[in-house]
Amino acid sequence: MRPSHRKLGTLGSISAIVLCLVVEAAGKSSAEDDAWYAEPQVYGSRPRVDRDREFGSIGVSGIEASIKKGVVVTVDSVVPGSPADGLCRAGDVLLGVNGVSLKGRNPFVALGQALTKAESTDGVLAFDLKDKQRKTRKAEVKIPVLGAYSETFPLNCRKSDRIVSEAAAYYASQLSGTAKDPVEIGGLEKSLVGLFLLSTGDDQYLPLVRRIFDAALKGPIPPKDGSGTWHLGYRGVLCGEYYLRTGDRSVLPLLQGYCTAAKLGQRYDCGWAHKIYDTPTVYWLLNAAGSQMLTTMLFGKECGVEVDEDTLRKTLRQWYRFAGHGSMPYGDHRPGGHIGSNGKDGMLAAAMRIASHAEGDVSRFEMANKWLTVTTAYQYPGLITGHGDNG
């Protein structure tokens, strides 16, 4: 899914947020990396000198970039009608921005800082470029000025509020079919969009969220063999959130189906793979997706549909084992070599928070929630303490 930068406005500023909130700890670096970089490694995102790496969008500039060996940031393409259209070309090498050379610097951090400063001041990204003929030139790209992030970012922040409101309006136009530049949004993406629209708290989006369930309600329930764990998990979470928000019982058959699929597809009496029923192709267990299946079952209990108690108990037992031990592993292996979580620990903390509201003795889940909250606070201090400067 790649929305048009012309119509997106400040939605692309989410890219700048991501670039400026790279808080993964440094992984193991090579001597070649240490020799090339003029600054110590702080972020796990730091590119390796000896290999290519994808970069993606540079904020709302319209530049799609990649990183070549030697940490050479190269323009892959420019979105038509975007701020950089006609100023930057495919094949250009980015040498610096706003007078700061990229040589010896982590380009994710340097460009993220430049985007944040431009959005809060004059909107200017002055790139130093080298073309395919090795000729150098400057290109002044103007992006929208949104103001600065507040010290309590993302809370009580006008810039964050504007990004959210414009992003919501964009996705609402896509779901309603009124967008001038329609973009295909897949099943998993629709679930994420629906959760995002619900998170705004704006009731105008509730009918659009309800539309997301229409096609699934017409199909077989529970889903056919081979349905993806990611899709079912996030759609189940969306069902639960939507029902608790609206009381619309029409979506409960879907939630029941997803809870049934959770039982039928559970592997090794503890988790799930990429697919619910058929043979997995990558991981025998995929905890990053399985977290959503656990949360779906917890929502099922909360919403009053039938949930297999044995399946839920076994999953809670397995997921509880991850709490307080550094990080939840992505799949059937040890956690990664750094404290970056991919959001997995946050998902697990949310599940334990829900479980701690059950009847009976829930002390273990309350303790797990505290452990996970501390872990998340250590990884993302600004998001927990209210201080927005995460580097």
Side-chain angles (χ1 to χ4, degrees), residues 79-91:
V79 177
S82 68
D85 189 18
L87 298 173
C88 300
R89 297 183 292 271

Side-chain angles (χ1 to χ4, degrees), residues 4 86 153 237 249 273 292 296 300 307 340:
S4 166
F153 161 79
V237 173
R249 299 183 61 85
Q292 280 65 255
T296 290
V307 177

Side-chain angles (χ1 to χ4, degrees), residues 63 84 86-88 92 96-98 124-129 137-142:
I63 298 173
L87 298 173
C88 300
D92 284 343
V97 58
N98 291 347
V124 174
L125 291 172
F127 291 109
D128 294 310
L129 303 170
R137 71 179 193 282
K138 294 184 180 293
E140 188 173 286
V141 176
K142 291 278 290 185

Side-chain angles (χ1 to χ4, degrees), residues 23 39 47 51 118 177 274 314 385:
V23 294
E39 54 192 8
R51 64 191 63 176
H274 264 293
K314 291 174 179 176
T385 65

Side-chain angles (χ1 to χ4, degrees), residues 194-225:
L195 286 168
F196 168 63
L197 292 178
L198 284 179
S199 75
T200 67
D202 194 331
D203 288 349
Q204 69 169 310
Y205 299 126
L206 294 178
L208 293 176
V209 175
R210 176 59 184 76
R211 286 191 195 180
I212 295 174
F213 304 112
D214 287 345
L217 285 168
K218 296 176 182 177
I221 302 174
K224 291 182 179 180
D225 291 1

Side-chain angles (χ1 to χ4, degrees), residues 172-180 182 208 211:
S173 71
Q174 294 294 336
L175 292 180
S176 64
T178 60
K180 294 182 179 179
L208 293 176
R211 286 191 195 180

Side-chain angles (χ1 to χ4, degrees), residues 98-280:
N98 291 347
V100 177
S101 172
L102 296 182
K103 178 69 174 178
R105 302 196 65 197
N106 184 335
F108 289 106
V109 176
L111 291 168
Q113 291 174 341
L115 283 161
T116 298
K117 184 176 180 180
E119 288 182 343
S120 63
T121 54
D122 56 6
V124 174
L125 291 172
F127 291 109
D128 294 310
L129 303 170
K130 181 172 65 176
D131 63 21
K132 294 180 179 179
Q133 286 72 43
R134 304 185 65 81
K135 294 181 179 179
T136 59
R137 71 179 193 282
K138 294 184 180 293
E140 188 173 286
V141 176
K142 291 278 290 185
I143 63 174
V145 176
L146 306 178
Y149 293 111
S150 70
E151 291 186 358
T152 56
F153 161 79
L155 305 176
N156 301 319
C157 177
R158 291 183 179 180
K159 181 174 181 177
S160 298
D161 291 343
R162 180 175 173 183
I163 292 172
V164 169
S165 64
E166 294 196 15
Y170 168 81
Y171 282 116
S173 71
Q174 294 294 336
L175 292 180
S176 64
T178 60
K180 294 182 179 179
D181 289 336
V183 174
E184 182 180 355
I185 302 178
L188 173 59
E189 288 81 5
K190 279 187 178 180
S191 297
L192 297 174
V193 167
L195 286 168
F196 168 63
L197 292 178
L198 284 179
S199 75
T200 67
D202 194 331
D203 288 349
Q204 69 169 310
Y205 299 126
L206 294 178
L208 293 176
V209 175
R210 176 59 184 76
R211 286 191 195 180
I212 295 174
F213 304 112
D214 287 345
L217 285 168
K218 296 176 182 177
I221 302 174
K224 291 182 179 180
D225 291 1
S227 293
T229 306
W230 292 103
H231 170 78
L232 296 184
Y234 277 112
R235 188 57 54 87
V237 173
L238 179 60
C239 278
E241 291 279 17
Y242 174 79
Y243 172 73
L244 293 175
R245 171 77 175 276
T246 65
D248 182 354
R249 299 183 61 85
S250 67
V251 302
L252 291 184
L254 276 180
L255 184 56
Q256 178 65 75
Y258 299 147
C259 290
T260 301
K263 173 187 176 182
L264 297 175
Q266 190 176 63
R267 296 178 183 268
Y268 309 115
D269 291 334
C270 64
W272 292 266
H274 264 293
K275 300 286 187 179
I276 287 293
Y277 304 111
D278 61 1
T279 303

